[in-house]
Amino acid sequence: QKGEEIYATYDKCLDCKNVDNYWGTPEILKDFGFVERHPHRWIFYDHGILVEVNSDYEFDAYFYHDANTVDVDNNDKYTPSEAQLEFLTGELRRLEETW
């Protein structure tokens, strides 16, 4: 409608050959220099982890035991594996050290 914002998402692009499974907020910032509106998607493809952060800073986390199946649309949520927990714990420590 007249005066309405034109909005196209880079994150969940419909004709981008399934990049939404491995391309999220950090990649958009790196490639285009901006961060889209929420939800923000943080994808750790090699670890089978996908996190969507909503505008109220609540999040949904998806854990996959086969990294080739990281896909939020199939709505599979698993309990994180020990390796996934170790990875996330290491990332948390790394971030805490930068503060």
Side-chain angles (χ1 to χ4, degrees), residues 47-58:
H47 300 279
I49 301 169
L50 186 150
V51 179
E52 284 192 335
V53 181
N54 301 315
S55 60
D56 56 3
Y57 299 106
E58 291 189 14

Side-chain angles (χ1 to χ4, degrees), residues 61-99:
Y62 301 84
F63 300 97
Y64 302 90
H65 299 291
D66 176 2
N68 294 325
T69 64
V70 173
D71 182 359
V72 71
D73 296 327
N74 70 18
N75 293 321
D76 288 337
K77 291 185 180 183
Y78 294 103
T79 302
S81 69
E82 190 65 34
Q84 289 167 325
L85 286 175
E86 285 178 23
F87 168 75
L88 291 172
T89 301
E91 285 297 291
L92 179 59
R93 284 191 195 121
R94 184 183 65 80
L95 292 170
E96 288 174 337
E97 290 173 4
T98 64
W99 293 27

Side-chain angles (χ1 to χ4, degrees), residues 10-84:
Y10 285 74
D11 189 17
K12 294 186 177 183
C13 178
L14 297 176
D15 60 348
C16 296
K17 301 176 184 160
N18 293 326
V19 298
D20 59 329
N21 294 337
Y22 61 89
W23 202 60
T25 299
E27 292 78 17
I28 293 169
L29 177 61
K30 175 183 66 81
D31 292 345
F32 298 103
F34 63 87
V35 174
E36 287 195 306
R37 293 181 176 183
H38 288 90
H40 293 168
R41 296 166 58 97
W42 296 83
I43 303 167
F44 305 97
Y45 189 84
D46 292 339
H47 300 279
I49 301 169
L50 186 150
V51 179
E52 284 192 335
V53 181
N54 301 315
S55 60
D56 56 3
Y57 299 106
E58 291 189 14
F59 65 90
D60 291 314
Y62 301 84
F63 300 97
Y64 302 90
H65 299 291
D66 176 2
N68 294 325
T69 64
V70 173
D71 182 359
V72 71
D73 296 327
N74 70 18
N75 293 321
D76 288 337
K77 291 185 180 183
Y78 294 103
T79 302
S81 69
E82 190 65 34
Q84 289 167 325

